[in-house]
Amino acid sequence: MESHSSIESDKIDFINDLCQKTLSTSTNFRILARTDKQLFKCDVCGKVFPQNCHLKRHFRTHTNDNPFSCHICCKSFSQKYHLHRHYQTHNSEKPYSCDVCGKDFSQKRYLTNHFRTHTNEKPYSCVLCNKQFSQKGQLNEHYRTHTNERPYACDVCGKQFSEKRYVTKHFRTHTGEKPYSCLTCDKRFSHKSDLNKHFLTHTNEKPFSCNLCGKSFSQKRHLNIHYRTHTNEKPYSCDVCSKKFSQRGSLTQHYRIHTNEKPFSCDVCHKKFSDKSNLNHHYRIHTKEKPYSCDICNKKFSQKQHLNEHYQSHTNEKSYSCDVCHKEFSYKSSLNHHYRTHTNEKPHSCDVCQKVFSQKQHLNEHYRTHTKEKPFSCDVCHKEFSLKSNLTMHYRIHTNENPYSCDVCHKKFSRRSILNVHYRTHTNEKPYSCVVCRKEFSDKSGLYVHYRTHTNEKPYSCDVCSKGFSQRREHYLVHTGEKPYECDLCGKMFSEKSGLKKHLMIHTGEKPFHCDLCGKMFAERSGLKQHCMIHTGEKPFQCEICEKWFNKKSTLVVHKKIHENRIPAPVLVRNCSECGKEFKSISGLWKHEKTHFGNAKEYKCNLCEKTFSEKSKLKQHNFIHTGEKPFQCETCGKRCNKKSSLVAHTKIHVTGLSSPVQVQKCSECGIEFKSSSGLWKHKKTHMKSESS
């Protein structure tokens, strides 16, 4: 006791003369005086204590022994004074009050620790990194970051932690316990800190503000992470690829790219995800939940990021610019994706077919071509889609919504991409070129379909007859007989939408395709293409047997049947649905059908005012007035005003005499005619008498 002496002071009664340590009570003085005589050492961890009771209390941290239990809530404690402190949570007694902010505390040491938030006093310093702390417990916890000591282990999974409170929190992941409840929305949480953060979503309180840009945050850690956007600090580095990150959580998620770990699974469809946030977003596909709403147009979104991106559609703000081509973007992610168009970087690869993509979203969408997954369903007709964008466009079929309008002709479209392709009909722009034949196309899909004419690829196959197609068609309706497309004017039904579109031109007389050489107009592009061969003399289709050339593939197909059995192939007859007249070609039937409609004879002669259903007939009629006979026989020089008359005349030279005339009888009265045109004109007299 000779090394210690008593001093007179209001607060400190004893001081050690050797170490100059001050002691507030005589009890502490006596404990320190004994340290040179006897110490009590823990057999488990080697830690020493000046008193045996301290060693006993410490030993309970190894045995998890909690002998002191609360008779109110049955909670157990390892030390008796911890139980006494716990009792104050039941009686709500808080006798200690802060002089600065008036906050009350149940224990004096809580008030002492709290007061340091006002004074910013941090009396405890780490001897290794000099970091300072306001509480000694925080310093002890911090030391374990240097020693990597994790003395607390989970009894269920064996995971180790540096602090006991972390074990308590972790254990709730096994039990599912959520003891903290929000008084506003009744949402429950497993940690009190999570509840406190959640409260800020109701109050919109953001007490932490950035000194540089003034942005506010609800949590201090979010502010600390935000500061790194100004300093470009990225303290977390990947051991595999050396990529750096500003947040530890981002690094943890990044590691899963290398390990392909997907620990989070959907309870509904069992799809797996590498991070929990993506799982939470995915759940909303099943629940249709859209908690984020636009204040301007009330549009709702399932993710906050989508809402923030949507806001810029109102402001038209484009704050991100490409350094290469100076194109501007509203979102940084869009700029990053755009950069890859310059670098041709495609970092995302499919595990199944090895196809690579520039964006992860495109890879995820591509995976569905292998899994056949279609998670998006139409509420009206229940049709399923693999992409949400396709579902959105499909809805417009039910709503007839066409939000995209052409500035030139004011035609409206349901999709922006179709509008962009449509613009090229005005500008004649054809940016896509075939590398084989140099043919140019206005849209990329047309180029892809064209490529297949060189490769003979037919990726689309009919499940019924196994017929292959180079592009997706509604061929299956041929087997079912279904004709879902109806003409509003005449009620005619069609199995394909393209067929209805072509048919409508009969009513409107629209012929959007014209020949640059003679000005002739056509309703279909294919008709114009075949017509151009008259000027060029091109005959691209050749018979492999007799090497004869044809300008139409259909003519070649008919010709080949002559070689099959050395006899002419049977002609496929097509009947008019109105009057039953038979035709050998679709074009003949199509021209005839015009005669049944009100605008059948739209071509008028300027001299005699006679009207015709076809421009070619008007042209032929004009030869009567002009006396022109453009068709000449190569043998005798005789001229005719009709090609059919010339064909009939040439038969005289082939046989040496007039060819036998094929007599045709009227089915109604039996009168005979030498020509089909004469018979047809005669039949009209019967049709008129029946109608009258």
Side-chain angles (χ1 to χ4, degrees), residues 25-83:
T25 63
S26 59
T27 304
N28 292 339
F29 178 84
R30 287 195 300 273
I31 293 171
L32 186 61
R34 290 186 56 198
T35 56
D36 57 346
K37 295 183 179 179
Q38 186 179 5
L39 292 174
F40 300 92
K41 185 177 180 180
C42 176
D43 298 332
V44 179
C45 62
K47 196 172 184 180
V48 293
F49 298 89
Q51 287 190 331
N52 191 31
C53 63
H54 294 172
L55 175 61
K56 289 180 179 179
R57 282 189 305 196
H58 164 76
F59 202 73
R60 293 175 190 147
T61 62
H62 298 296
T63 61
N64 290 324
D65 184 22
N66 294 320
F68 304 100
S69 179
C70 173
H71 69 277
I72 299 174
C73 65
C74 301
K75 193 172 183 179
S76 299
F77 300 90
S78 60
Q79 299 184 38
K80 192 172 184 178
Y81 82 95
H82 289 168
L83 174 62

Side-chain angles (χ1 to χ4, degrees), residues 257-319:
I257 296 175
H258 301 295
T259 61
N260 288 322
E261 181 188 3
K262 294 182 178 180
F264 305 100
S265 177
C266 174
D267 298 334
V268 181
C269 63
H270 307 293
K271 190 175 182 180
K272 293 186 176 181
F273 299 87
S274 57
D275 61 291
K276 194 172 183 180
S277 60
N278 288 345
L279 173 61
N280 293 335
H281 294 157
H282 168 78
Y283 268 132
R284 292 172 184 154
I285 295 175
H286 300 295
T287 61
K288 308 292 184 183
E289 181 187 4
K290 294 182 178 180
Y292 305 101
S293 177
C294 174
D295 300 332
I296 300 172
C297 64
N298 296 323
K299 193 173 182 179
K300 293 185 176 182
F301 300 87
S302 59
Q303 300 183 35
K304 192 173 184 180
Q305 176 190 355
H306 295 167
L307 173 61
N308 294 335
E309 293 175 352
H310 167 76
Y311 271 130
Q312 296 183 7
S313 66
H314 295 295
T315 61
N316 291 321
E317 180 185 358
K318 294 183 177 181
S319 52

Side-chain angles (χ1 to χ4, degrees), residues 182-307:
C182 175
L183 301 175
T184 306
C185 64
D186 295 325
K187 194 172 182 179
R188 303 188 71 85
F189 301 87
S190 56
H191 309 317
K192 190 174 183 180
S193 58
D194 293 339
L195 173 61
N196 294 335
K197 294 171 189 175
H198 169 75
F199 267 132
L200 299 176
T201 61
H202 296 297
T203 61
N204 289 322
E205 182 184 358
K206 295 181 178 180
F208 305 99
S209 180
C210 175
N211 299 327
L212 299 174
C213 65
K215 192 172 183 180
S216 299
F217 299 88
S218 59
Q219 300 180 38
K220 191 174 183 179
R221 68 183 184 90
H222 292 168
L223 174 61
N224 294 334
I225 293 170
H226 167 77
Y227 270 129
R228 292 171 186 156
T229 61
H230 298 295
T231 61
N232 289 322
E233 181 187 2
K234 294 182 178 180
Y236 306 101
S237 177
C238 175
D239 299 334
V240 180
C241 63
S242 302
K243 191 173 182 180
K244 293 185 176 182
F245 299 88
S246 59
Q247 302 181 42
R248 185 186 294 274
S250 301
L251 174 61
T252 303
Q253 290 179 7
H254 169 78
Y255 269 131
R256 294 172 184 149
I257 296 175
H258 301 295
T259 61
N260 288 322
E261 181 188 3
K262 294 182 178 180
F264 305 100
S265 177
C266 174
D267 298 334
V268 181
C269 63
H270 307 293
K271 190 175 182 180
K272 293 186 176 181
F273 299 87
S274 57
D275 61 291
K276 194 172 183 180
S277 60
N278 288 345
L279 173 61
N280 293 335
H281 294 157
H282 168 78
Y283 268 132
R284 292 172 184 154
I285 295 175
H286 300 295
T287 61
K288 308 292 184 183
E289 181 187 4
K290 294 182 178 180
Y292 305 101
S293 177
C294 174
D295 300 332
I296 300 172
C297 64
N298 296 323
K299 193 173 182 179
K300 293 185 176 182
F301 300 87
S302 59
Q303 300 183 35
K304 192 173 184 180
Q305 176 190 355
H306 295 167
L307 173 61

